[in-house]
Amino acid sequence: LGLYQPYVKSDHRHGLGFMWESDAMGYLQTDGLVDTRFPGMAMLATAPVNDSDATAAEGFTSIKNYDFNDAANSTDYTFSWGPDLRKRTIAGVWSSEPGLGGDTLAGFGVVNYVLETTNYVHVCPNDARIVTLTKSTGAPAVSGVNANSTDYRWLIAHAGFIYAGKDGTSNIYRDSAESLSGLAGAVADDPNVILIGGDLPTIGAATFLGKLFVTRQDGLFQIGEDLIAHRMLDFSSSVSSTNFRSMAIFNNKLIFPIRDVLYSWNGSTLVDITPPLLSDSFPFSTYGRFDNFVATGRFLYFTARTNESTWEEHVIAWDGVGFHKIGEPVTNGTDTITGLGYDVTNNYLWYSIDATTDSTHFIQFQNLSEYPFANFSTSGTHSLISSRMHMGFRRVTKSTPSIIVDAQNVTAARYLVVWYNIGGAGWLEWGGTGNGRITANGTTTLTNPVSGGTNSTIEYNYIQIRIDFVSDSSAQTPVLEGWTLRFIMRPATLYGHSFQIIAASNLKVGAGGRDLKTVRTIYNNIETARASAAPITLVDPFGVSVTGYISSVERRAVERHGRREQEGFPNIESLIVVSFVQVG
């Protein structure tokens, strides 16, 4: 009896929700909201909250000690930008931040980027000059040296300067003043402008390994102290609008997408870290359109879209080895996640959705832990699904009598449910409806997998196990610690045969017949059968035919009859021992 035991391991290297390694086809996956980020357990993931702000934001940031025109109420805010600049109070109220005219309803319009410094919040309105908000007063002011200082795509602070990329160009300007009062916006106004050759605009920038890097659709460039752009990674052969659509520094590596391939770069070596297949059968489901990278704590969070016609977009966590889905914001094949950001003030992971009605949501984390915050779903189906398991022998039938499940924090109303799927025929609850539940803490053994069976077993070439998580309380989740599938190999039964053949001339057969073949002819016939590349048929004494091969022949001389030869050979009666192996 074998044990197939995909217990939880800390080495999450086999896929999405990838807590278990196996000799199997495909990868462990999740459906719904299941959190597999932590070794030794799987549980419900924190349910997202719709924060009632109908905005498809492209970015989020936490602003500390910002005074909204009222020094007595100086506080921390969450800012989002995209179609407008939006501000959220600690109390959870969103509003448009007033522009230069002071009209809260009018706001800024489309905003390309927001950068917080010690004393200011710099806002980059599309096709307009930077507006600098003074944090101590909330008062807005225009930044830049003149009317050419307009339309910046990104800002970044590096080595005593703030660098600014001009939207739609490869021109980069910089200013040492925190207020950006000296920031130029035209080549004629700045002798230190950084120009990158070619007609592709810059996309964004990052400080990595103490150096400043800038991205374009055709590659990654380092801005040296000589204010010259040096190409570090060349993707000019695969230029695409999806290249470098987002990036982040995680575990001292730069993570970014090129088309639908996800890369990790440590400053010298480029490694493909694209998530593996999501499905086991053709047409295979995969992830692409990687976007919205946010590194915080032990994980890199980003969004990814499936390649299905009705695609889904998920929120993914990467721990440096395996990928873990923690949210399914889009499942209809039409909406899009536009932005993702971590709010250090509230410990929220924000995201926005571009839909018929735009929306902004957050996933809350614990204040002192990265484990799921107690806001669990009490409806819907939330499952952990194994790979297609064949135990290393795809074509050998297995028989399973039971499964052992280790769980904690379960009750009669908060439980796990075990399902199995044989050969892709569909999911069946273990033992029938209501019998696959795990309601007791510790180790539970479920027997009789077939509904209504007694000492029943299931037979298969490959199998999948699904475990559903059901909770009666948003503050509680069942916890799966591991499971063990018991099985025994049951290959097709094939026999070996060993028998003796008497080789003698004029041998009496039956009541009166005689076999007139010579000994040498009998030898030749057996040798021909032994050498056959195709299987031959053996008919046993009971008339049963089996197909196979002669595997060995042993000859034993018994007696020579006379001195005359038959067909040029001596007449030596022999006993021939033949071994026959059945095939099927």
PDB file of all heavy atoms in Angstrom, residues 356-383:
ATOM      1  N   THR A 356     -17.825  49.118 -16.421  1.00  0.00           N
ATOM      2  CA  THR A 356     -18.958  49.985 -16.760  1.00  0.00           C
ATOM      3  C   THR A 356     -19.152  51.026 -15.674  1.00  0.00           C
ATOM      4  O   THR A 356     -19.393  52.204 -15.947  1.00  0.00           O
ATOM      5  CB  THR A 356     -20.233  49.140 -16.926  1.00  0.00           C
ATOM      6  OG1 THR A 356     -20.007  48.144 -17.924  1.00  0.00           O
ATOM      7  CG2 THR A 356     -21.394  50.010 -17.341  1.00  0.00           C
ATOM      8  N   THR A 357     -19.029  50.592 -14.435  1.00  0.00           N
ATOM      9  CA  THR A 357     -18.955  51.502 -13.291  1.00  0.00           C
ATOM     10  C   THR A 357     -17.614  51.267 -12.617  1.00  0.00           C
ATOM     11  O   THR A 357     -17.391  50.196 -12.031  1.00  0.00           O
ATOM     12  CB  THR A 357     -20.097  51.252 -12.295  1.00  0.00           C
ATOM     13  OG1 THR A 357     -21.356  51.433 -12.954  1.00  0.00           O
ATOM     14  CG2 THR A 357     -19.992  52.212 -11.120  1.00  0.00           C
ATOM     15  N   ASP A 358     -16.699  52.235 -12.732  1.00  0.00           N
ATOM     16  CA  ASP A 358     -15.373  52.076 -12.145  1.00  0.00           C
ATOM     17  C   ASP A 358     -15.482  51.914 -10.627  1.00  0.00           C
ATOM     18  O   ASP A 358     -16.441  52.389  -9.996  1.00  0.00           O
ATOM     19  CB  ASP A 358     -14.504  53.288 -12.474  1.00  0.00           C
ATOM     20  CG  ASP A 358     -14.283  53.439 -13.971  1.00  0.00           C
ATOM     21  OD1 ASP A 358     -14.436  52.441 -14.693  1.00  0.00           O
ATOM     22  OD2 ASP A 358     -13.972  54.563 -14.416  1.00  0.00           O
ATOM     23  N   SER A 359     -14.485  51.262 -10.047  1.00  0.00           N
ATOM     24  CA  SER A 359     -14.535  51.025  -8.604  1.00  0.00           C
ATOM     25  C   SER A 359     -13.127  50.917  -8.043  1.00  0.00           C
ATOM     26  O   SER A 359     -12.173  50.593  -8.751  1.00  0.00           O
ATOM     27  CB  SER A 359     -15.337  49.757  -8.284  1.00  0.00           C
ATOM     28  OG  SER A 359     -14.783  48.639  -8.956  1.00  0.00           O
ATOM     29  N   THR A 360     -13.001  51.177  -6.750  1.00  0.00           N
ATOM     30  CA  THR A 360     -11.739  51.087  -6.023  1.00  0.00           C
ATOM     31  C   THR A 360     -11.938  50.193  -4.804  1.00  0.00           C
ATOM     32  O   THR A 360     -12.913  50.350  -4.064  1.00  0.00           O
ATOM     33  CB  THR A 360     -11.257  52.479  -5.591  1.00  0.00           C
ATOM     34  OG1 THR A 360     -11.038  53.282  -6.750  1.00  0.00           O
ATOM     35  CG2 THR A 360      -9.960  52.386  -4.803  1.00  0.00           C
ATOM     36  N   HIS A 361     -11.011  49.254  -4.595  1.00  0.00           N
ATOM     37  CA  HIS A 361     -11.150  48.257  -3.548  1.00  0.00           C
ATOM     38  C   HIS A 361      -9.849  48.164  -2.754  1.00  0.00           C
ATOM     39  O   HIS A 361      -8.802  48.615  -3.196  1.00  0.00           O
ATOM     40  CB  HIS A 361     -11.450  46.877  -4.155  1.00  0.00           C
ATOM     41  CG  HIS A 361     -12.575  46.864  -5.137  1.00  0.00           C
ATOM     42  ND1 HIS A 361     -13.795  46.305  -4.877  1.00  0.00           N
ATOM     43  CD2 HIS A 361     -12.659  47.365  -6.402  1.00  0.00           C
ATOM     44  CE1 HIS A 361     -14.587  46.436  -5.916  1.00  0.00           C
ATOM     45  NE2 HIS A 361     -13.915  47.083  -6.872  1.00  0.00           N
ATOM     46  N   PHE A 362      -9.946  47.517  -1.576  1.00  0.00           N
ATOM     47  CA  PHE A 362      -8.725  47.228  -0.830  1.00  0.00           C
ATOM     48  C   PHE A 362      -8.807  45.848  -0.195  1.00  0.00           C
ATOM     49  O   PHE A 362      -9.881  45.346   0.123  1.00  0.00           O
ATOM     50  CB  PHE A 362      -8.441  48.293   0.243  1.00  0.00           C
ATOM     51  CG  PHE A 362      -9.452  48.379   1.353  1.00  0.00           C
ATOM     52  CD1 PHE A 362      -9.414  47.504   2.439  1.00  0.00           C
ATOM     53  CD2 PHE A 362     -10.441  49.357   1.344  1.00  0.00           C
ATOM     54  CE1 PHE A 362     -10.333  47.595   3.477  1.00  0.00           C
ATOM     55  CE2 PHE A 362     -11.361  49.457   2.368  1.00  0.00           C
ATOM     56  CZ  PHE A 362     -11.317  48.575   3.433  1.00  0.00           C
ATOM     57  N   ILE A 363      -7.629  45.238  -0.044  1.00  0.00           N
ATOM     58  CA  ILE A 363      -7.457  44.004   0.718  1.00  0.00           C
ATOM     59  C   ILE A 363      -6.674  44.384   1.967  1.00  0.00           C
ATOM     60  O   ILE A 363      -5.555  44.883   1.875  1.00  0.00           O
ATOM     61  CB  ILE A 363      -6.694  42.941  -0.095  1.00  0.00           C
ATOM     62  CG1 ILE A 363      -7.464  42.582  -1.362  1.00  0.00           C
ATOM     63  CG2 ILE A 363      -6.448  41.699   0.758  1.00  0.00           C
ATOM     64  CD1 ILE A 363      -6.698  41.684  -2.305  1.00  0.00           C
ATOM     65  N   GLN A 364      -7.253  44.162   3.118  1.00  0.00           N
ATOM     66  CA  GLN A 364      -6.618  44.596   4.363  1.00  0.00           C
ATOM     67  C   GLN A 364      -5.659  43.547   4.893  1.00  0.00           C
ATOM     68  O   GLN A 364      -5.933  42.338   4.840  1.00  0.00           O
ATOM     69  CB  GLN A 364      -7.683  44.904   5.420  1.00  0.00           C
ATOM     70  CG  GLN A 364      -7.118  45.524   6.686  1.00  0.00           C
ATOM     71  CD  GLN A 364      -8.197  46.080   7.595  1.00  0.00           C
ATOM     72  OE1 GLN A 364      -9.380  46.037   7.272  1.00  0.00           O
ATOM     73  NE2 GLN A 364      -7.789  46.628   8.725  1.00  0.00           N
ATOM     74  N   PHE A 365      -4.498  44.006   5.399  1.00  0.00           N
ATOM     75  CA  PHE A 365      -3.530  43.142   6.059  1.00  0.00           C
ATOM     76  C   PHE A 365      -3.551  43.434   7.557  1.00  0.00           C
ATOM     77  O   PHE A 365      -3.994  44.498   7.999  1.00  0.00           O
ATOM     78  CB  PHE A 365      -2.121  43.367   5.535  1.00  0.00           C
ATOM     79  CG  PHE A 365      -1.918  42.950   4.101  1.00  0.00           C
ATOM     80  CD1 PHE A 365      -0.780  43.323   3.427  1.00  0.00           C
ATOM     81  CD2 PHE A 365      -2.858  42.191   3.438  1.00  0.00           C
ATOM     82  CE1 PHE A 365      -0.577  42.938   2.105  1.00  0.00           C
ATOM     83  CE2 PHE A 365      -2.685  41.802   2.121  1.00  0.00           C
ATOM     84  CZ  PHE A 365      -1.533  42.176   1.459  1.00  0.00           C
ATOM     85  N   GLN A 366      -3.063  42.479   8.347  1.00  0.00           N
ATOM     86  CA  GLN A 366      -2.933  42.723   9.780  1.00  0.00           C
ATOM     87  C   GLN A 366      -1.873  43.794  10.031  1.00  0.00           C
ATOM     88  O   GLN A 366      -0.935  43.972   9.249  1.00  0.00           O
ATOM     89  CB  GLN A 366      -2.537  41.440  10.499  1.00  0.00           C
ATOM     90  CG  GLN A 366      -3.577  40.338  10.445  1.00  0.00           C
ATOM     91  CD  GLN A 366      -3.179  39.146  11.279  1.00  0.00           C
ATOM     92  OE1 GLN A 366      -2.587  39.284  12.349  1.00  0.00           O
ATOM     93  NE2 GLN A 366      -3.502  37.956  10.799  1.00  0.00           N
ATOM     94  N   ASN A 367      -2.008  44.494  11.131  1.00  0.00           N
ATOM     95  CA  ASN A 367      -1.064  45.563  11.448  1.00  0.00           C
ATOM     96  C   ASN A 367       0.325  45.034  11.799  1.00  0.00           C
ATOM     97  O   ASN A 367       1.324  45.671  11.491  1.00  0.00           O
ATOM     98  CB  ASN A 367      -1.589  46.420  12.601  1.00  0.00           C
ATOM     99  CG  ASN A 367      -2.795  47.246  12.201  1.00  0.00           C
ATOM    100  OD1 ASN A 367      -2.967  47.589  11.044  1.00  0.00           O
ATOM    101  ND2 ASN A 367      -3.644  47.564  13.176  1.00  0.00           N
ATOM    102  N   LEU A 368       0.406  43.886  12.437  1.00  0.00           N
ATOM    103  CA  LEU A 368       1.695  43.367  12.888  1.00  0.00           C
ATOM    104  C   LEU A 368       2.041  42.029  12.237  1.00  0.00           C
ATOM    105  O   LEU A 368       2.891  41.301  12.737  1.00  0.00           O
ATOM    106  CB  LEU A 368       1.691  43.220  14.413  1.00  0.00           C
ATOM    107  CG  LEU A 368       1.439  44.501  15.202  1.00  0.00           C
ATOM    108  CD1 LEU A 368       1.360  44.204  16.693  1.00  0.00           C
ATOM    109  CD2 LEU A 368       2.523  45.535  14.923  1.00  0.00           C
ATOM    110  N   SER A 369       1.383  41.710  11.131  1.00  0.00           N
ATOM    111  CA  SER A 369       1.601  40.411  10.512  1.00  0.00           C
ATOM    112  C   SER A 369       1.170  40.473   9.056  1.00  0.00           C
ATOM    113  O   SER A 369       0.314  41.277   8.683  1.00  0.00           O
ATOM    114  CB  SER A 369       0.809  39.330  11.254  1.00  0.00           C
ATOM    115  OG  SER A 369       0.798  38.120  10.534  1.00  0.00           O
ATOM    116  N   GLU A 370       1.771  39.587   8.254  1.00  0.00           N
ATOM    117  CA  GLU A 370       1.363  39.486   6.856  1.00  0.00           C
ATOM    118  C   GLU A 370       0.349  38.361   6.639  1.00  0.00           C
ATOM    119  O   GLU A 370      -0.065  38.119   5.506  1.00  0.00           O
ATOM    120  CB  GLU A 370       2.584  39.249   5.967  1.00  0.00           C
ATOM    121  CG  GLU A 370       3.503  40.451   5.886  1.00  0.00           C
ATOM    122  CD  GLU A 370       4.703  40.214   5.006  1.00  0.00           C
ATOM    123  OE1 GLU A 370       5.371  39.170   5.189  1.00  0.00           O
ATOM    124  OE2 GLU A 370       4.968  41.066   4.139  1.00  0.00           O
ATOM    125  N   TYR A 371      -0.048  37.692   7.704  1.00  0.00           N
ATOM    126  CA  TYR A 371      -1.072  36.668   7.572  1.00  0.00           C
ATOM    127  C   TYR A 371      -2.423  37.324   7.273  1.00  0.00           C
ATOM    128  O   TYR A 371      -2.618  38.511   7.528  1.00  0.00           O
ATOM    129  CB  TYR A 371      -1.138  35.826   8.838  1.00  0.00           C
ATOM    130  CG  TYR A 371      -0.032  34.801   8.916  1.00  0.00           C
ATOM    131  CD1 TYR A 371       1.239  35.157   9.371  1.00  0.00           C
ATOM    132  CD2 TYR A 371      -0.237  33.495   8.513  1.00  0.00           C
ATOM    133  CE1 TYR A 371       2.270  34.229   9.413  1.00  0.00           C
ATOM    134  CE2 TYR A 371       0.783  32.554   8.558  1.00  0.00           C
ATOM    135  CZ  TYR A 371       2.033  32.931   9.008  1.00  0.00           C
ATOM    136  OH  TYR A 371       3.050  32.015   9.046  1.00  0.00           O
ATOM    137  N   PRO A 372      -3.374  36.564   6.726  1.00  0.00           N
ATOM    138  CA  PRO A 372      -4.638  37.164   6.300  1.00  0.00           C
ATOM    139  C   PRO A 372      -5.363  37.897   7.420  1.00  0.00           C
ATOM    140  O   PRO A 372      -5.434  37.408   8.554  1.00  0.00           O
ATOM    141  CB  PRO A 372      -5.458  35.959   5.811  1.00  0.00           C
ATOM    142  CG  PRO A 372      -4.439  34.936   5.442  1.00  0.00           C
ATOM    143  CD  PRO A 372      -3.308  35.123   6.398  1.00  0.00           C
ATOM    144  N   PHE A 373      -5.897  39.051   7.087  1.00  0.00           N
ATOM    145  CA  PHE A 373      -6.746  39.800   8.004  1.00  0.00           C
ATOM    146  C   PHE A 373      -8.099  39.102   8.082  1.00  0.00           C
ATOM    147  O   PHE A 373      -8.604  38.559   7.100  1.00  0.00           O
ATOM    148  CB  PHE A 373      -6.912  41.232   7.496  1.00  0.00           C
ATOM    149  CG  PHE A 373      -7.768  42.093   8.376  1.00  0.00           C
ATOM    150  CD1 PHE A 373      -7.245  42.688   9.517  1.00  0.00           C
ATOM    151  CD2 PHE A 373      -9.104  42.310   8.069  1.00  0.00           C
ATOM    152  CE1 PHE A 373      -8.033  43.488  10.331  1.00  0.00           C
ATOM    153  CE2 PHE A 373      -9.893  43.109   8.875  1.00  0.00           C
ATOM    154  CZ  PHE A 373      -9.356  43.701  10.014  1.00  0.00           C
ATOM    155  N   ALA A 374      -8.693  39.102   9.270  1.00  0.00           N
ATOM    156  CA  ALA A 374      -9.932  38.360   9.507  1.00  0.00           C
ATOM    157  C   ALA A 374     -11.122  39.062   8.867  1.00  0.00           C
ATOM    158  O   ALA A 374     -11.928  39.719   9.528  1.00  0.00           O
ATOM    159  CB  ALA A 374     -10.161  38.175  11.007  1.00  0.00           C
ATOM    160  N   ASN A 375     -11.204  38.934   7.549  1.00  0.00           N
ATOM    161  CA  ASN A 375     -12.385  39.375   6.808  1.00  0.00           C
ATOM    162  C   ASN A 375     -12.595  38.345   5.688  1.00  0.00           C
ATOM    163  O   ASN A 375     -12.276  38.584   4.528  1.00  0.00           O
ATOM    164  CB  ASN A 375     -12.194  40.769   6.219  1.00  0.00           C
ATOM    165  CG  ASN A 375     -13.422  41.247   5.474  1.00  0.00           C
ATOM    166  OD1 ASN A 375     -14.551  40.945   5.855  1.00  0.00           O
ATOM    167  ND2 ASN A 375     -13.217  41.966   4.388  1.00  0.00           N
ATOM    168  N   PHE A 376     -13.127  37.185   6.084  1.00  0.00           N
ATOM    169  CA  PHE A 376     -13.199  36.045   5.185  1.00  0.00           C
ATOM    170  C   PHE A 376     -14.584  35.934   4.567  1.00  0.00           C
ATOM    171  O   PHE A 376     -15.582  36.334   5.168  1.00  0.00           O
ATOM    172  CB  PHE A 376     -12.856  34.760   5.942  1.00  0.00           C
ATOM    173  CG  PHE A 376     -11.529  34.809   6.636  1.00  0.00           C
ATOM    174  CD1 PHE A 376     -11.454  34.831   8.026  1.00  0.00           C
ATOM    175  CD2 PHE A 376     -10.348  34.863   5.917  1.00  0.00           C
ATOM    176  CE1 PHE A 376     -10.230  34.881   8.672  1.00  0.00           C
ATOM    177  CE2 PHE A 376      -9.117  34.923   6.547  1.00  0.00           C
ATOM    178  CZ  PHE A 376      -9.058  34.932   7.936  1.00  0.00           C
ATOM    179  N   SER A 377     -14.616  35.370   3.385  1.00  0.00           N
ATOM    180  CA  SER A 377     -15.881  35.214   2.680  1.00  0.00           C
ATOM    181  C   SER A 377     -16.703  34.095   3.306  1.00  0.00           C
ATOM    182  O   SER A 377     -16.185  33.031   3.658  1.00  0.00           O
ATOM    183  CB  SER A 377     -15.612  34.906   1.206  1.00  0.00           C
ATOM    184  OG  SER A 377     -16.829  34.705   0.513  1.00  0.00           O
ATOM    185  N   THR A 378     -17.991  34.323   3.431  1.00  0.00           N
ATOM    186  CA  THR A 378     -18.909  33.317   3.964  1.00  0.00           C
ATOM    187  C   THR A 378     -19.848  32.793   2.878  1.00  0.00           C
ATOM    188  O   THR A 378     -20.848  32.136   3.183  1.00  0.00           O
ATOM    189  CB  THR A 378     -19.734  33.897   5.126  1.00  0.00           C
ATOM    190  OG1 THR A 378     -20.438  35.062   4.658  1.00  0.00           O
ATOM    191  CG2 THR A 378     -18.839  34.289   6.283  1.00  0.00           C
ATOM    192  N   SER A 379     -19.538  33.090   1.624  1.00  0.00           N
ATOM    193  CA  SER A 379     -20.346  32.606   0.500  1.00  0.00           C
ATOM    194  C   SER A 379     -19.420  32.287  -0.666  1.00  0.00           C
ATOM    195  O   SER A 379     -18.239  32.628  -0.666  1.00  0.00           O
ATOM    196  CB  SER A 379     -21.382  33.657   0.084  1.00  0.00           C
ATOM    197  OG  SER A 379     -20.727  34.840  -0.360  1.00  0.00           O
ATOM    198  N   GLY A 380     -19.962  31.637  -1.666  1.00  0.00           N
ATOM    199  CA  GLY A 380     -19.171  31.282  -2.834  1.00  0.00           C
ATOM    200  C   GLY A 380     -18.363  30.008  -2.607  1.00  0.00           C
ATOM    201  O   GLY A 380     -18.370  29.420  -1.522  1.00  0.00           O
ATOM    202  N   THR A 381     -17.655  29.585  -3.665  1.00  0.00           N
ATOM    203  CA  THR A 381     -16.832  28.385  -3.607  1.00  0.00           C
ATOM    204  C   THR A 381     -15.367  28.773  -3.609  1.00  0.00           C
ATOM    205  O   THR A 381     -14.919  29.513  -4.491  1.00  0.00           O
ATOM    206  CB  THR A 381     -17.128  27.463  -4.802  1.00  0.00           C
ATOM    207  OG1 THR A 381     -18.511  27.106  -4.792  1.00  0.00           O
ATOM    208  CG2 THR A 381     -16.284  26.201  -4.735  1.00  0.00           C
ATOM    209  N   HIS A 382     -14.615  28.273  -2.630  1.00  0.00           N
ATOM    210  CA  HIS A 382     -13.198  28.606  -2.475  1.00  0.00           C
ATOM    211  C   HIS A 382     -12.436  27.298  -2.312  1.00  0.00           C
ATOM    212  O   HIS A 382     -12.635  26.572  -1.327  1.00  0.00           O
ATOM    213  CB  HIS A 382     -12.992  29.522  -1.271  1.00  0.00           C
ATOM    214  CG  HIS A 382     -13.926  30.695  -1.270  1.00  0.00           C
ATOM    215  ND1 HIS A 382     -13.711  31.804  -2.039  1.00  0.00           N
ATOM    216  CD2 HIS A 382     -15.105  30.892  -0.614  1.00  0.00           C
ATOM    217  CE1 HIS A 382     -14.704  32.667  -1.859  1.00  0.00           C
ATOM    218  NE2 HIS A 382     -15.565  32.130  -0.995  1.00  0.00           N
ATOM    219  N   SER A 383     -11.607  26.991  -3.288  1.00  0.00           N
ATOM    220  CA  SER A 383     -11.052  25.638  -3.376  1.00  0.00           C
ATOM    221  C   SER A 383      -9.552  25.640  -3.599  1.00  0.00           C
ATOM    222  O   SER A 383      -9.005  26.525  -4.268  1.00  0.00           O
ATOM    223  CB  SER A 383     -11.707  24.880  -4.541  1.00  0.00           C
ATOM    224  OG  SER A 383     -13.108  24.944  -4.476  1.00  0.00           O
TER     225      SER A 383
END
